[in-house]
Amino acid sequence: MSRFTDWLWRFLRYHRPALVGTVLVMAVVLTAVVGPVVLSYEPDDVFSRFAETGSKHLLGTDSQGYDLLTRMVYGARTTLAIALVSMSMSLCLGSLIGAVSGFAGGKTDLLLMRGVDIAMSFPGFLLAMVAVAILGPKLENVIVAVGLVGAPMFARQVRAEVLRVGSAEYVTAARSQGFGPSRTLFLHVMPNSLSPIIVLGTLGMGSAILDVAGLAFLGLGGDPYRIPEWGLILTQGWDQRPDANLQVAVAGLAIFVTVLGFNLLGDGLKDELDPRTRRR
Amino acid sequence: MLAYIVRRLGLSALLLAVVVAATFMLHHALPGDPAAAVLGKQYTQEAAHEMRERLGLNDPIPTQFVRYVGRVASGDLGRSHVSNELVTEELKRALPATIELALTALLIATLVGVTLGVLTALRPRTWWDVAGLTAALAGVSLPIFWLGFLALQAFGESGVMADVLGVRGLPLGGRFSPAAYSLGQFVNETPAATGFFLWDTLFVAGDTQVFLHVLKHLFLPAIVLASVPMAVIARITRASMGDALLQDYVRTARAKGLRARTVVLKHALRNASIPIVTSIGTQLGYLIGGAVLTETIFQWPGMGTYVVDSIRALDVKPLQACVLVVAVGFVIVNLLVDISYAWLDPRVSTAGGAE
């Protein structure tokens, strides 16, 4: 563990953008986890609509009469949860396809990778829209659609990793030095094949948040759940312009800051974990 | 070179075949009964049965598929249930609107992105570099509809900047103001008109006043749509140029005493251009997705709004047509990008042939 903290410390110290990203992501996660404890209202307490900002409502009330700050803080939970589930879906499905493709080789590989090529050569967002249209505009379906659309990228990466690591010289070298299989696996194979996936996963969180919000903006976000994610909060404000301008501004800013955080972090990790671009 | 292009063509044909099959399945995959959608309020059991018979929905699936392929091949894309207009007619209006918007955005994105990338690559690890890269990362993190909202708040009619600068703001939406001009009618009545309003107003009508009017409407949506591709292109250019500038041939060129500009533009940029061209090509895909959101914000009557409207109304024919058109556009763009590789780097075509 101390080796990890050492690494983390060095990474964040030499990687200012990644440090900023980490701070942003941590802030959002912290808000989502402990924020509700600090708040004085429940997310379904109804007041008059479009109340002014002030000591009673720090950000005013929204187009439906809810306290905007409360909705945003609870919305952070929904937003992060949705993005995490979607991204994990992409990761699992993509890894499965990629691993099978890489291990099997031959015709299976060719067939799967052609499929991945075709899926990737079509605009993902449009694909997600059509998927939601087929499945029906429900939150579950939005998650599935965004998850499906993100999968091919993981598939390609995992396949490349399987092919690369399996035949890497350092694996052979480690074995021939007499290291046991578990040491080779955990210290040589795993770290080298995991890092691109971690990077993709981090960046994938950002794009999942954006895609879900975009679908919500088009009215495909599905039923307004008890606590909507930020994209839907933004959209509800957008429909009530100009009275709800603040609502649009705040929700958009939250999305932007969160996605920026994930992107900064992912980008820093990419630089750090990719031996070709690593400094020092 | 020829073999390379032929193989690319084969792959494109495969992609198109998959898309045609997928759009056919869309007809059956979408929720709701197509016959009921056509009938609307006149729905009765008998009428629905009759309509299903007339639409050929009772035939075996393979028969329907063959008929569908035949129709698509002959350019018959059916009618919209909602407007009862021919889809091809609606596409004729929507497609130029989107192409005009997307190409303008791509032009802005490429010019600004490449310039930004080259400038930051020339000053590595300086304040410039950090600022440029941060801006680029911010660019890809922006929810585009939020950026559109902010742009409207700032530069739109009665926006913040309009108050500050005392100028009339930019229009809030649409391709032109129907109160001022009737460009739709003009395009309909003029055979030479293309539906690309910039072109039509400047070259067909020759009216600079209307041209500026159209340009004003195009400005904000194009900038908003350009934001993400611009950021991506800038990042790729920065990385690719950064590598190229460290190469021996650049040092040699400098040592020969060539002007700095020649070294940067002719030696480094040319060699760094393949990833840049790829990213410009792939950004076109993004532009089509982003266009959906941008068009919704700015009420731009293009493919984006057309797709959204047909999805909301579960209008199958326009949706099929849109997916097909986007796919064809994609195939063409990808082909152009692939061919441009071979032109930029002759090794590609030979290496590809040996594969």
Side-chain angles (χ1 to χ4, degrees), chain B residues 84-225:
Chain B
N84 204 25
E85 249 194 288
L86 280 175
V87 171
T88 39
E89 287 302 309
E90 294 188 316
L91 279 180
K92 246 183 236 165
R93 284 193 298 270
L95 201 52
T98 294
I99 294 179
E100 192 168 69
L101 176 64
L103 284 185
T104 313
L106 194 64
L107 186 71
I108 297 172
T110 307
L111 287 179
V112 181
V114 171
T115 312
L116 213 65
V118 170
L119 285 181
T120 48
L122 286 174
R123 298 166 179 75
R125 293 180 200 188
T126 59
W127 185 87
W128 268 91
D129 191 19
V130 175
L133 285 179
T134 312
L137 213 54
V140 289
S141 309
L142 278 168
I144 192 166
F145 38 97
W146 185 59
L147 184 65
F149 165 80
L150 293 183
L152 283 176
Q153 291 302 314
F155 303 108
E157 268 155 25
S158 72
V160 181
M161 294 312 274
D163 287 347
V164 173
L165 302 172
V167 287
R168 266 192 71 234
L170 290 162
L172 295 179
R175 295 180 78 189
F176 60 95
S177 134
Y181 304 100
S182 50
L183 280 173
Q185 201 186 343
F186 171 78
V187 171
N188 271 342
E189 289 168 359
T190 320
T194 54
F196 297 94
F197 285 174
L198 288 181
W199 175 275
D200 288 349
T201 50
L202 199 59
F203 296 110
V204 180
D207 192 334
T208 36
Q209 192 104 39
V210 196
F211 174 75
L212 286 177
H213 176 83
V214 170
L215 199 61
K216 255 177 147 180
H217 279 77
L218 183 61
F219 188 69
L220 274 191
I223 297 266
V224 167
L225 185 55

Side-chain angles (χ1 to χ4, degrees), chain B residues 208-268:
Chain B
T208 36
Q209 192 104 39
V210 196
F211 174 75
L212 286 177
H213 176 83
V214 170
L215 199 61
K216 255 177 147 180
H217 279 77
L218 183 61
F219 188 69
L220 274 191
I223 297 266
V224 167
L225 185 55
S227 63
V228 173
M230 189 194 312
V232 175
I233 292 170
R235 276 163 60 95
I236 304 269
T237 308
R238 162 72 180 83
S240 187
M241 272 300 274
D243 285 347
L245 285 170
L246 294 176
Q247 299 297 316
D248 289 341
Y249 54 77
V250 168
R251 202 174 44 196
T252 310
R254 281 205 177 117
K256 274 200 301 190
L258 292 180
R259 278 185 310 165
R261 216 181 62 169
T262 317
V263 175
V264 170
L265 294 182
K266 284 228 166 125
H267 292 247

